[in-house]
């Protein structure tokens, strides 16, 4: 879990999102719909973005999990966070942790500056009810530029 071994004695039937938020004190991944439709709960499981609201915590034994809290730990994560702050890319901010996880996983494997259309397509499954979309797209584009210019 975020680079550390994590033991957890959990009640049976809890989702990964419940385990994170209610038992492990990791509250950055958020509960929105609980139906795999909004993206607010996104985390990385073995480096793949997954909806934590739909995963059984019991199935996570031995898996590598990274939550939005871990984005501070590397250059791309920090570039994303700084770009979102710089562009004031939020209204309430509820959707952002999931969007950051998806953007992080996508940009990490990208070898070119993404177009606005590409960014929008990648984030299409994330719901933002505040209408912060233009600033979110701009922030992801800025983070991509910062990150790609820093990798050899
Ligand atoms: S809370 Fe998991 S997708 Fe909405
Ligand atoms: S900023 Fe409020 S839901 Fe996206």
């Amino acid at each position: 879990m975020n680079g550390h071994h994590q033991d957890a004695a959990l009640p049976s039937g809890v989702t990964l999102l419940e385990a994170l938020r209610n038992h492990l004190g990791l509250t950055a991944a958020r509960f929105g719909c609980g139906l795999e439709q909004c993206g607010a709960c996104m985390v990385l499981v073995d480096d793949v973005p997954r909806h934590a609201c739909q995963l059984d915590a019991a199935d996570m034994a031995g898996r590598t999990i990274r939550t939005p809290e871990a984005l501070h730990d590397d250059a791309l994560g920090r570039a994303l966070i700084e770009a979102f702050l710089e562009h004031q890319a939020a209204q309430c901010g509820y959707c952002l942790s999931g969007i950051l996880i998806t953007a992080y996983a996508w940009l990490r494997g990208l070898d070119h500056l993404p177009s606005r259309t590409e960014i929008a397509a990648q984030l299409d499954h994330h719901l933002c009810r505040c209408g912060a979309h233009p600033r979110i797209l701009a922030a992801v584009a800025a983070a991509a530029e910062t990150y790609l210019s820093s990798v050899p």
Side-chain angles (χ1 to χ4, degrees):
M1 179 72 72
N2 293 340
H4 304 283
H5 179 80
Q6 175 75 58
D7 288 318
L10 300 168
S12 64
V14 300
T15 66
L16 174 59
L17 185 62
E18 290 169 328
L20 293 173
R21 294 187 57 84
N22 300 341
H23 298 275
L24 300 175
L26 294 166
T27 56
R30 295 179 174 130
F31 182 87
C33 61
L35 298 169
E36 209 170 343
Q37 292 184 0
C38 74
C41 63
M42 204 70 84
V43 299
L44 296 174
V45 178
D46 295 335
D47 283 335
V48 177
R50 301 286 303 275
H51 295 98
C53 71
Q54 292 297 300
L55 295 173
D56 189 332
D59 292 336
M60 296 298 108
R63 314 292 289 273
T64 298
I65 299 168
R66 295 181 74 194
T67 68
E69 282 91 346
L71 292 177
H72 290 279
D73 294 342
D74 74 20
L76 175 55
R78 287 192 296 275
L80 278 162
I81 291 166
E82 285 164 17
F84 272 71
L85 289 170
E86 190 175 318
H87 285 78
Q88 293 290 291
Q91 189 88 5
C92 75
Y94 203 85
C95 64
L96 286 193
S97 50
I99 287 173
L100 286 166
I101 287 287
T102 292
Y104 174 88
W106 177 54
L107 292 180
R108 193 177 40 183
L110 209 62
D111 60 0
H112 64 277
L113 282 177
S115 68
R116 181 185 170 92
T117 302
E118 286 178 290
I119 299 169
Q122 286 298 321
L123 300 182
D124 191 47
H125 59 288
H126 284 273
L127 299 184
C128 171
R129 61 184 163 187
C130 293
H133 306 80
R135 286 173 282 156
I136 290 170
L137 296 178
V140 173
E145 191 167 354
T146 300
Y147 178 65
L148 288 172
S149 66
S150 73
V151 291

